């Protein structure tokens, strides 16, 4: 299994989860865990996903997710789990 972390942050609006999850399903990316909160009108979601069965390059998917985020007014980042872990070590 090849795991990655997706973060989604921005002003809350209808359809954020639906649009992100539709993209993931269309690209055979399985959601392993998901957490989302809304704080004072701001949406925050973190997903752990399995990207093992993806046929596209990781960087292309990261770019497409970023573009999707731009289209819907949020910031979407995709990182390999190892890189995410190293960046968030205390």
């Amino acid at each position: 299994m090849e795991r990655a972390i997706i973060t989604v942050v921005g002003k809350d609006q209808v359809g954020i989860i639906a649009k992100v999850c539709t993209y993931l399903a269309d690209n055979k990316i399985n959601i392993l865990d998901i957490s989302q909160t809304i704080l004072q009108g701001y949406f925050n979601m973190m997903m752990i996903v399995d990207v093992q069965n993806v046929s596209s390059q990781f960087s292309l998917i990261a770019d497409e997710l970023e573009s999707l985020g731009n289209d819907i007014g949020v910031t979407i980042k995709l990182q390999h789990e190892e890189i995410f872990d190293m960046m968030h070590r205390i």
Side-chain angles (χ1 to χ4, degrees), residues 64-90:
E64 288 178 348
L65 282 169
E66 185 175 349
S67 178
L68 173 64
N70 290 336
D71 292 346
I72 62 176
V74 297
T75 301
I76 304 177
K77 297 292 181 194
L78 172 70
Q79 295 177 301
H80 287 285
E81 182 181 37
E82 301 81 23
I83 293 172
F84 184 87
D85 286 343
M86 295 303 264
M87 288 178 58
H88 294 90
R89 261 191 165 161
I90 294 181

